[in-house]
Amino acid sequence: MIEIQKTLVEDDIPEIRFACNTATCKGACCTLAGGQGAPLLDEELEQIEHSFPLIKSYLPQAHLDTIEQFGLFEGEPKAYTTMCFNNRACVFVLYEEGIARCAFEKAFLENKLNGENLFLATSFPFE
């Protein structure tokens, strides 16, 4: 076990690639109440800004309106998070058959990100 900010974590957790069972959870971690989105690394901000035009068409209008008003992310160096819609859903969430999904993931799987792998959700909620 290792301790991360006063939380004990199994030794292998940092090495495991996180994957959701969205059929069961319906993308719940992408729509948690609380108004704070997925944690971001400082170096991801430029990638998000660069790739946003490629994923924009996937997003609900209400999320686009939030982005226009508040931006893509919030925070300060070493403490950035994605912006949230209505203090819940990450602004990069789209809904398919009642399941919250990441627009960046969808665009990547459809080869629209020029090979750039920008899965915001791959390590969330472990970050």
Side-chain angles (χ1 to χ4, degrees), residues 3 25 46 54 64 70 83 95 111 114:
E3 185 176 335
C25 74
E46 188 176 324
L54 304 173
L64 293 171
F70 300 107
M83 189 59 69
Y95 297 91
N111 296 314
N114 304 319

Side-chain angles (χ1 to χ4, degrees), residues 26-120:
K26 308 289 187 213
C29 67
C30 296
T31 60
L32 291 173
Q36 197 166 36
L40 298 171
L41 300 173
D42 292 1
E43 55 269 19
E44 290 176 309
L45 305 183
E46 188 176 324
Q47 289 177 286
I48 290 169
E49 290 172 332
H50 174 76
S51 300
F52 177 67
L54 304 173
I55 64 129
K56 200 173 169 176
S57 64
Y58 297 123
L59 299 176
Q61 186 59 49
H63 292 208
L64 293 171
D65 293 344
T66 298
I67 291 167
E68 186 175 322
Q69 186 174 1
F70 300 107
L72 300 168
F73 42 81
E74 61 184 336
E76 55 191 51
K78 300 192 186 304
Y80 287 105
T81 63
T82 61
M83 189 59 69
C84 286
F85 166 72
N86 212 14
N87 289 323
R88 290 190 68 95
C90 170
V91 291
F92 303 119
V93 162
L94 62 102
Y95 297 91
E96 294 179 330
E97 300 177 21
I99 297 174
R101 299 193 183 277
C102 179
F104 286 106
E105 180 180 16
K106 182 177 177 79
F108 177 78
L109 294 173
E110 293 180 359
N111 296 314
K112 296 196 175 170
L113 292 182
N114 304 319
E116 199 172 349
N117 183 353
L118 188 61
F119 287 177
L120 300 179

Side-chain angles (χ1 to χ4, degrees), residues 1-4 7-16 126:
M1 298 282 259
I2 57 175
E3 185 176 335
I4 301 174
T7 300
L8 291 178
V9 177
E10 292 288 334
D11 292 332
D12 58 348
I13 291 292
E15 306 301 319
I16 295 174
F126 290 113

